[in-house]
Structures are given as structure tokens and as C-alpha cells.
Amino acid sequence: MGRPWVGRAPLSPEEIQRVGPQARRWAAEQILNLWEWGKDITNPEALWGDEIEYLIVDLDPSWSRATVLLCQESILQQWDKQTNEKSRGNNEDESMDLQAEWANFSVESTPSKPYTDETRDLLDVEQNMKKRRALIKSLLGPSQYPLTIASFPRLGVKGQYSTPHYAPSQSNIHYRMLPPQLLSPALRHVYMAQKILGRRQRPIGVHVPLFQDRDTPRSFLDDPFSSKKPEKEDNCVYLEGQGFGCGCCALQTTFQTETERDARWLHDQLVILGPTMMALTAATPIFKGFLVNTDSRWNCLVASLDDRTQTEVSDFITASKTCCSVPLTRWSSNRVYLSHERPPDIANACRQVRVDESARQQLLEGGMDESIALYFSHIIWYDPLCLSQDDIDSMSPETTHILQKFQHGVWHHVHLKMPDASIGAGWRVEFRPMEVQPKDSENAAFSVFMFLLSRAIVTYRLNFYIPIELVTESMQRAQSLDAVTKERFWFRRRGWAPDGLDSIQCHPQNGCAHTLDESTDGAYTLMTMDEIINGERSTSPARFPGLVAIVRSYLLDRELLPNEEAKLIGYLNLISCRASGSLPTPARWMRNFVAEHEDYQHDSVVTEKICYDMLKEVAKMNEAD
């Protein structure tokens, strides 16, 4: 989530408005400098890595109560002390890095050095994740655990759900439901929260449809503030506060490519794969102690980082009558393609994208093509929320700190990273839509699968392009209840590969999917998850073989030992079974656990005891894994 904050506090909104035009010119100048320096860089090493966010909980057996543990600072201080001691002892066996996340009850971990595409590294991912979990656990008490769950099920309920316990603030409109102590004490997160809330000038709230079980009230009204304002909406759970989105946890992966051309191509294909992987990893079926009718955290994140003023929201509602109705906020799905090699019938951006026109012209005049100029001028269009006087005073075209203040305030589901000389990194693409999985083996499977798929995409030049508006639509579909088995997603089924590669056969273990209507002549169409991952059951030579079959084909080029092949194929089988529905998503597993619990009244309520027992079971998973 970025480097620790140093220096003076950010400028006020009025000051940012005053220096904004100049800051955008400087950011564009820095982009051009970095791009000119890096556009011809080649780095053949296929380095990559993952980021896992852990939610720290206390499981108190005396009360049968699970609470989030507000201990981020303590964990990081202990970790820094251990790291310094090991550095003095020249310990080279360090396997992880830790840093602050938005919530005071979560931390983020990464491997201390990138993985390569060597088989031994692919097989070490799971072990590295186990080491990271064990190291964090060693910094906690006996009843405290680092869980890889996407959200805490009872965050925001009345009563105690955190340790220590804090009551919401009655004097601050932004903390009426979640107390400010849930926010990380790290200054970067504090400032970012202040700036977003200050720009909105009203509470952040989102209505999540309630899951209707047998005895759920048919006229459910979640109105915690007894208000006649727009917070009231029937049969929805009302979530107010940044923590409901920003307090969620994810699994992210980053891949280095050899060239800028490859990075832009990979970026676009991963944009299209975002809805697929979000649905496969869905892990958020409970909010504020209620089962909800969605399985993903994504729209809560969109709402949590929505800093639009009321006027801007009204303007969007008017414009959305003729355009995409999903808001383009600071956290959103991508609306811009980067590669100029995309098919001629695919536009490079949706009509909704807003850009800073001056910056776009500056980038074009500096030699950038339209697609990449549009991408960066869209990021620069947003205000740099945390720009400080220090940034302005130290402005230099050779640095990137002004650009970083723009980039660190805009979060898309796929992010292009330009070369960074300070860490020796080349062109990289970060993939962000996956929800974290309860088990290390599952997180390893999805990480390794995405790496192998990224290599196949670049090596085979796989073309999954669809109109980018359809990606936005699929991102909404991917959040629905049991989307893996009940939804269909826009995907390309014709013209996806060079001649010869489209003869890849579905593997028998994949359990190829239902027959697709052969009368469908379009290059892209709505497909089930089983068809996208495991392939179509069709006699047509144009049928799509599935992403797992493509990765299997890529693996054939490797000389694998039997045990190595078995481990990697095991990861692919996990993905395949998740797509077919034979292996439930974490969201479906949680729903089943609640439904089968002896205390559950089939009223959509997840009680304190149910939550405790469920998270206790999650804590056990990695002991037996």
C-alpha cells in the first residue's frame, strides 16, 4: 500500500485546487521522463510476487467471541525489531516483508524477494506463505490469529467486535457506525482517509442487499440512526464508514514483463480476466452480522473510496442515462486499454472516462501514443489528495514523487507499473481483483495459476479482447451470490489465439462444460465460468478450450519431474473444480457453515457464537493444510 509517510502534512483542498494545474503539468513531465527512459528497457527475467493481507482476530473462548485485534502498530514494531536483530546477524534466510494496511486490525505481507519462473520457485510459493503466516502468528498471543479472510463478518454490529473495544463517535458524522480507532495509525492512511472524507463532506454509505432466507423478515429495514434521510432502503444492510470496504483483505499478484509492449498487452488481457478471477475467489458473503445477497467486497471498496461531492454525483446520475451506470471513482474497474495492438473493432476506452486534456496533449506531444497518454491523463484527472508542500519544493523532472501522489490515490483492478531504477524493476503489471482465500494452499494455487497464465498470454499472444464496457458489466455480475455457478460473463471465444494454438484440447480431468449454442457467431459472448476455465463441450473447431487447458499446454514446454508436475497440476485442478462448482468458493463455504450451525435461525443473522465457531474453524484450516 505504498511507502511510509514522511515530511509535512498534505495541502488543504483549497491549496490543492490552486496548485493542481501546475502539479498536473509536473506529473506529466515526470511521466514522460520515466517513459522515455524506460520504454526501450528489456528485462528477460520473468520476476513476480504476491501480496497477502491478513485480518488479525482474537478468539476468546471464555465468551465464545471473535473480535478484530487493533494491534497493527505492535506487530510492525516487533517485526522491525526482529528484522534489525537478524540484519546484525547477517541472517539471509528472511522470507517476508510486512507493512501497514488501511485497518488497524490488518497487515500486508510479501515475499522479501521476487520469485522467478523457475519451477523450484513456483513450488516454494505455498511454503513461503506458510512461513509468513507462522511468523505473524509468533508475534501474537495464544488466542490471536492472522486469518486470510476477506472481511470480518461482524464489523459494525452493536456491542463489542474489536479488542480493545471502542464506541462509534456521536460527534463526527464520518464515524457514526465505525469508530476512528479502527483506522491504521500509519500517517499515509490517516491522511488519505481525512482527504477523502473531507472532500465528500458527507458520510460514506452503501446499501448491500440482504439475503432472504426462510425466516428473514420480508420488510427488513436497517436504519441504525432512525433517520428519514436517504440512508433508509428496504431489505438492505446499511454500511456506513470507510472500514467496510478499506478493512477488507485481498490477494494481489504482480508480474514483470520483458518489454513495455508485453506489459501493455498483458495489462489488457488481465483487465478482461478480472471478473473471472474475482468470482472464482469470492469470499465476502457477510457484512455487519448479516448474510447478504452478494459474495464480493468490490462495490464496498468502490463506495469506501468515493470522494465525489454531491454535485459530482448528481452530474454522474444525469450522464449515466446515456452511458455506463457504474461510477468511475478512485477505486474502480479499468476503463482504458493500453495496447495499440488490440483488434481494430475494440475501442481503447469507454465513453465515461474523464481525462485532463492539457496533460493528454502534453503526453502526446512528448511522443506517447493515444492509448498510454489516455491512461495516464485519466489518472492525473483526479486531485492528488495527499500532495504536500515538500513535494512541490523538491519538484524535479528526474524524480517521480509528484506522479506517485496522483497514482497512489487511484486504484484500478489492474495497474501498470513503469520501470523503477531504485529497485531495479522493469515493466510490471499488478493484478488486484482477487479476494484472499482462507488456506495458504488456495492462495498459492491462485497466485501460481495467474503467473502461469500471464506467461502463456505473453508467450502465445493470447487475445481475449472484448469491449471494455462489457468488462464493467461482468465485474458487477461477478459479485452476485454464487456467481461462479449461476452467472455468465462476457468472454472472447473466437480469434483468441494465433493459428495452431486454438487446437488445444480440453483435458479430461477438466470436466469440460456445457455445450454452447453453435449458432453464436460473435467473437465474444456470455459464457459460464465452467466454459471459461474448463472449456466448452462442443464439436466445433472454434470452441474455447478453457484457461486451465491453455496453462496445461504452456506447462508442456517445461521439463518437470513427476512430483513437480503433480503439485502444479494439483493447483490447476483446484481452479478447475472451483469453476465447475465441485469445490465451493469461500463465500459458499461460509454460507453453508452458517446454515448448518445449530444456533442459526434461518433469519440471515450471523450471531456472535456462529461467527466465533466459523473463524475458529478457519484458524484450524491451515494447521491441517
Side-chain angles (χ1 to χ4, degrees):
M1 290 296 289
R3 297 169 183 167
W5 185 277
V6 293
R8 284 178 279 184
L11 300 174
S12 68
E14 294 75 23
E15 290 171 319
I16 286 179
Q17 287 297 311
R18 177 176 53 81
V19 303
Q22 180 61 61
R24 289 179 170 87
R25 286 192 290 273
W26 284 337
E29 189 175 355
Q30 291 181 345
I31 290 169
L32 283 172
N33 248 7
L34 187 55
W35 176 75
E36 187 62 39
W37 170 77
K39 64 184 175 67
D40 297 322
I41 281 179
T42 59
N43 194 328
E45 245 190 321
L47 302 179
W48 69 287
D50 69 78
E51 300 174 19
I52 294 180
E53 295 162 1
Y54 296 83
L55 197 149
I56 313 300
V57 301
D58 182 74
L59 300 177
D60 185 348
S62 61
W63 292 91
S64 293
R65 174 189 293 157
T67 56
V68 290
L69 193 63
L70 307 184
C71 62
Q72 182 188 97
E73 193 169 28
S74 171
I75 289 175
L76 295 179
Q77 287 175 350
Q78 291 181 73
W79 172 246
D80 286 341
K81 182 180 178 181
Q82 284 191 13
T83 302
N84 291 334
E85 290 173 353
K86 290 176 181 177
S87 296
R88 288 195 294 271
N90 293 320
N91 188 325
E92 297 181 358
D93 189 34
E94 199 52 68
S95 59
M96 63 179 272
D97 290 322
L98 282 183
Q99 58 181 322
E101 259 299 330
W102 184 95
N104 200 1
F105 50 79
S106 62
V107 293
E108 176 185 283
S109 83
T110 60
S112 58
K113 60 181 181 179
Y115 300 119
T116 70
D117 68 345
E118 295 290 331
T119 301
R120 66 175 180 271
D121 272 10
L122 300 184
L123 299 176
D124 189 51
V125 171
E126 184 176 340
Q127 191 58 36
N128 185 280
M129 291 178 175
K130 289 180 184 295
K131 286 181 180 179
R132 284 186 258 166
R133 188 188 298 272
L135 282 166
I136 298 172
K137 179 67 177 80
S138 72
L139 306 176
L140 301 171
S143 65
Q144 299 165 358
Y145 298 88
L147 299 186
T148 43
I149 56 174
S151 69
F152 186 71
R154 285 176 54 81
L155 191 72
V157 299
K158 291 182 179 179
Q160 182 174 356
Y161 55 83
S162 70
T163 300
H165 171 59
Y166 295 98
S169 173
Q170 301 304 312
S171 60
N172 190 321
I173 62 169
H174 298 302
Y175 298 102
R176 297 188 301 173
M177 189 174 289
L178 299 178
Q181 290 84 356
L182 296 186
L183 175 63
S184 163
L187 284 178
R188 178 175 183 270
H189 299 293
V190 171
Y191 288 147
M192 188 67 72
Q194 288 176 352
K195 295 302 176 182
I196 287 174
L197 297 177
R199 194 178 188 281
R200 278 182 64 90
Q201 290 296 307
R202 65 194 190 285
I204 286 177
V206 61
H207 295 91
V208 182
L210 180 71
F211 171 70
Q212 292 290 333
D213 207 343
R214 186 188 68 204
D215 295 327
T216 305
R218 292 302 181 258
S219 296
F220 178 84
L221 179 62
D222 185 18
D223 184 21
F225 307 115
S226 301
S227 170
K228 294 183 180 180
K229 295 180 180 178
E231 292 113 16
K232 297 173 73 171
E233 190 166 318
D234 287 347
N235 298 319
C236 285
V237 180
Y238 179 58
L239 310 177
E240 185 178 285
Q242 280 193 300
F244 287 109
C246 295
C248 292
C249 297
L251 168 66
Q252 299 177 6
T253 47
T254 300
F255 313 111
Q256 179 171 277
T257 63
E258 184 171 350
T259 64
E260 180 210 25
R261 173 176 175 259
D262 288 346
R264 291 167 69 170
W265 184 267
L266 178 60
H267 167 277
D268 292 358
Q269 310 315 312
L270 293 184
V271 165
I272 297 149
L273 291 169
T276 299
M277 301 313 297
M278 183 163 68
L280 283 173
T281 58
T284 321
I286 306 169
F287 280 108
K288 213 173 72 175
F290 292 103
L291 287 168
V292 294
N293 215 41
T294 56
D295 275 357
S296 170
R297 78 203 192 289
W298 190 261
N299 278 349
C300 285
L301 270 165
V302 171
S304 293
L305 294 162
D306 184 358
D307 69 335
R308 294 175 299 165
T309 65
Q310 188 62 62
T311 299
E312 289 168 337
V313 171
S314 300
D315 291 344
F316 166 77
I317 292 172
T318 301
S320 66
K321 294 176 182 178
T322 58
C323 191
C324 176
S325 60
V326 180
L328 188 59
T329 61
R330 289 183 178 271
W331 187 290
S332 73
S333 59
N334 294 59
R335 310 294 169 85
V336 176
Y337 285 136
L338 274 176
S339 178
H340 48 270
E341 300 175 75
R342 68 187 181 279
D345 62 327
I346 299 293
N348 66 338
C350 75
R351 291 173 296 164
Q352 188 188 5
V353 168
R354 305 289 297 275
V355 302
D356 185 84
E357 188 56 36
S358 296
R360 189 180 76 88
Q361 287 299 326
Q362 186 177 348
L363 296 175
L364 290 172
E365 291 167 6
M368 280 187 163
D369 60 81
E370 176 64 33
S371 293
I372 197 166
L374 189 71
Y375 175 85
F376 282 110
S377 59
H378 168 59
I379 290 174
I380 292 176
W381 175 78
Y382 292 93
D383 286 339
L385 291 176
C386 288
L387 189 71
S388 71
Q389 189 62 44
D390 290 336
D391 298 318
I392 295 171
D393 293 344
S394 59
M395 165 55 197
S396 167
E398 285 71 38
T399 65
T400 61
H401 61 287
I402 301 287
L403 167 61
Q404 288 172 1
K405 289 303 168 71
F406 282 94
Q407 284 188 312
H408 289 169
V410 181
W411 302 269
H412 294 143
H413 78 276
V414 181
H415 175 51
L416 177 73
K417 294 185 173 183
M418 290 198 282
D420 187 340
S422 67
I423 59 174
W427 289 93
R428 292 149 293 147
V429 182
E430 184 178 25
F431 188 64
R432 310 163 68 104
M434 293 190 292
E435 307 212 325
V436 74
Q437 307 294 282
K439 299 169 68 173
D440 294 320
S441 57
E442 295 171 327
N443 287 311
F446 279 100
S447 298
V448 171
F449 174 73
M450 286 308 302
F451 170 72
L452 292 172
L453 183 55
S454 75
R455 299 305 301 160
I457 286 169
V458 173
T459 302
Y460 298 150
R461 221 64 184 173
L462 301 180
N463 163 25
F464 298 137
Y465 279 107
I466 59 176
I468 203 160
E469 290 86 354
L470 299 184
V471 175
T472 304
E473 180 184 325
S474 288
M475 287 291 281
Q476 295 304 305
R477 291 170 175 263
Q479 299 175 64
S480 12
L481 191 155
D482 290 328
V484 166
T485 55
K486 295 180 180 178
E487 277 289 352
R488 295 199 299 162
F489 305 87
W490 288 104
F491 206 78
R492 177 174 284 268
R493 67 182 295 260
R494 299 185 191 277
W496 57 272
D499 291 343
L501 188 66
D502 55 5
S503 62
I504 291 175
Q505 299 296 312
C506 297
H507 192 282
Q509 292 182 2
N510 286 0
C512 292
H514 303 295
T515 302
L516 196 72
D517 183 0
E518 295 300 335
S519 65
T520 303
D521 295 324
Y524 42 86
T525 188
L526 287 168
M527 298 174 67
T528 67
M529 188 64 65
D530 207 9
E531 289 162 346
I532 294 170
I533 297 296
N534 295 324
E536 302 170 47
R537 178 173 295 162
S538 167
T539 58
S540 166
R543 95 284 179 275
F544 185 66
L547 298 177
V548 164
I550 291 172
V551 172
R552 284 179 185 271
S553 177
Y554 176 76
L555 281 176
L556 290 177
D557 294 334
R558 290 176 175 263
E559 295 181 1
L560 299 174
L561 297 173
N563 64 314
E564 296 171 340
E565 182 178 16
K567 184 70 172 179
L568 295 178
I569 294 301
Y571 288 155
L572 298 189
N573 287 341
L574 185 150
I575 307 295
S576 179
C577 291
R578 188 67 74 77
S580 70
S582 59
L583 179 68
T585 63
R588 173 39 59 192
W589 179 87
M590 290 181 181
R591 290 181 187 278
N592 291 345
F593 186 95
V594 172
E596 295 165 7
H597 196 281
E598 60 183 4
D599 285 2
Y600 182 57
Q601 302 298 310
H602 299 279
D603 55 359
S604 306
V605 176
V606 180
T607 65
E608 189 170 73
K609 181 65 163 62
I610 296 173
C611 179
Y612 171 80
D613 289 342
M614 181 170 66
L615 297 192
K616 196 166 63 167
E617 194 65 28
V618 171
K620 290 179 182 176
M621 285 181 178
N622 288 287
E623 297 173 4
D625 193 9

